[in-house]
């Protein structure tokens, strides 16, 4: 294991002054760890990802990422280059006319040369078996194809850590297998949100449940009942 990627201490968060979603929440992710996160709908799983990425701001507590406390928008710009967030809805991630352009968008904005971008796009399309879709219009893809392309746009940024929000939800078996194969063979450090305990058992080192504002480690062999 390497150093700390994410360190969250005494995190509190609520929307518009309502009851806290998080109540002094603590969590640590180290380099090389694969962590599963489950919990009932509305428990704050996606919200936690948004706080880690600086898309929401906590009421109180500390978010330390790659060894630095993150408070302001400028603090999170580095985080968004180094951590890849896969949104639950693929349409939130895809906005270019074609698959190829969507995958190339991130590396181009990082200042990569045209040659480097082409190499990245080709490599990722090979890994995820997307070569036949490179010239396809994105909005005409199936839901499963969009999911894979969304993952490809994240991987194109060469992140050190992945935040995966229900990545296999609604996928047909073939696309699901491609997704799982990538995670098993290639991904190093990630947090995976899912209600599928079998999936979490296969793809993560440990699993937490988010419940009543707290995170508690659980045994995926004996999953807790959801309220």
């Amino acid at each position: 294991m390497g150093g700390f990627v994410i360190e969250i201490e005494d995190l509190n968060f609520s929307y518009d002054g309502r009851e806290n979603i998080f109540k002094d929440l603590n969590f640590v992710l180290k380099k090389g760890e694969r962590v599963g996160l489950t919990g009932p709908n509305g428990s704050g799983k996606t919200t936690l990802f948004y706080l880690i990425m600086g898309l929401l701001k906590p009421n109180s507590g500390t978010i330390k990422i790659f060894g630095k406390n993150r408070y302001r928008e400028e603090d999170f710009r580095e985080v968004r280059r180094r951590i890849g967030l896969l949104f639950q809805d693929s349409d939130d991630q895809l906005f270019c006319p074609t698959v190829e352009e969507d995958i190339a968008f991130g590396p181009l904005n990082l200042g990569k040369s045209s040659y480097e971008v082409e190499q990245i796009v080709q490599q990722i399309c090979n890994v995820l078996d997307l070569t036949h879709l490179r010239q396809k219009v994105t909005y005409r893809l199936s839901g499963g194809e969009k999911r894979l392309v969304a993952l490809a746009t994240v991987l194109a940024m060469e992140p050190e850590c992945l935040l995966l929000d229900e990545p296999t939800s609604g996928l047909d078996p073939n696309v699901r297998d491609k997704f799982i194969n990538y995670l098993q063979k290639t991904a190093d450090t990630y947090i995976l949100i899912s209600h599928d305990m079998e999936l979490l058992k296969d793809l993560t080192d440990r699993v937490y449940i988010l419940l009543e504002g707290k995170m508690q480690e659980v045994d995926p062999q004996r999953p807790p009942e959801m309220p």
Side-chain angles (χ1 to χ4, degrees):
M1 294 293 175
F4 292 106
V5 177
I6 299 168
E7 299 168 82
I8 295 174
E9 185 174 354
D10 296 332
L11 184 71
N12 289 276
F13 178 78
S14 62
Y15 285 106
D16 301 324
R18 289 177 286 175
E19 183 180 354
N20 273 6
I21 294 176
F22 302 132
K23 303 171 184 177
D24 297 322
L25 182 143
N26 295 281
F27 172 73
V28 169
L29 178 73
K30 294 181 180 179
K31 179 70 174 172
E33 287 185 327
R34 300 172 171 185
V35 169
L37 181 59
T38 192
N41 292 334
S43 60
K45 302 181 296 296
T46 298
T47 298
L48 181 63
F49 278 5
Y50 287 178
L51 286 160
I52 291 169
M53 299 299 286
L55 303 176
L56 294 172
K57 296 187 182 302
N59 295 78
S60 62
T62 302
I63 299 176
K64 183 183 287 186
I65 303 179
F66 299 114
K68 297 179 182 177
N69 288 338
R70 309 289 175 165
Y71 299 109
R72 298 171 297 276
E73 169 64 20
E74 51 265 34
D75 296 330
F76 285 96
R77 290 173 187 157
E78 178 195 9
V79 172
R80 293 171 198 148
R81 290 196 300 269
R82 299 176 68 182
I83 295 181
L85 170 62
L86 182 69
F87 288 92
Q88 194 173 70
D89 186 346
S90 299
D91 287 329
D92 291 338
Q93 207 129 21
L94 305 175
F95 47 84
C96 292
T98 66
V99 168
E100 183 176 70
E101 289 171 286
D102 257 318
I103 299 172
F105 181 85
L108 285 171
N109 278 273
L110 289 177
K112 302 279 188 182
S113 69
S114 297
Y115 174 79
E116 289 173 314
V117 171
E118 170 58 27
Q119 295 303 304
I120 290 169
V121 171
Q122 183 175 334
Q123 178 186 12
I124 290 173
C125 284
N126 288 340
V127 168
L128 295 179
D129 192 20
L130 291 172
T131 302
H132 63 295
L133 296 178
R134 281 187 61 159
Q135 304 301 324
K136 292 284 187 181
V137 177
T138 307
Y139 74 83
R140 291 182 177 173
L141 300 177
S142 70
E145 289 169 340
K146 285 183 180 179
R147 204 77 181 127
L148 274 184
V149 174
L151 178 62
T153 67
V154 173
L155 300 182
M157 301 287 286
E158 301 177 329
E160 298 168 49
C161 171
L162 295 170
L163 304 180
L164 304 165
D165 195 347
E166 296 279 5
T168 62
S169 177
L171 297 186
D172 65 58
N174 181 49
V175 177
R176 179 186 168 93
D177 287 347
K178 291 177 185 177
F179 218 114
I180 290 173
N181 184 64
Y182 171 80
L183 292 180
Q184 288 176 326
K185 293 185 176 180
T186 310
D188 175 42
T189 306
Y190 57 76
I191 305 173
L192 170 61
I193 291 175
S194 180
H195 293 286
D196 185 340
M197 296 303 293
E198 284 297 316
L199 181 75
L200 294 179
K201 183 178 68 175
D202 292 341
L203 292 178
T204 64
D205 306 314
R206 64 181 193 273
V207 177
Y208 290 91
I209 185 171
L210 188 50
L211 200 61
E212 296 180 352
K214 304 278 191 179
M215 287 177 68
Q216 178 182 347
E217 190 167 357
V218 297
D219 182 355
Q221 302 283 0
R222 292 179 292 179
E225 290 187 12
M226 298 294 180

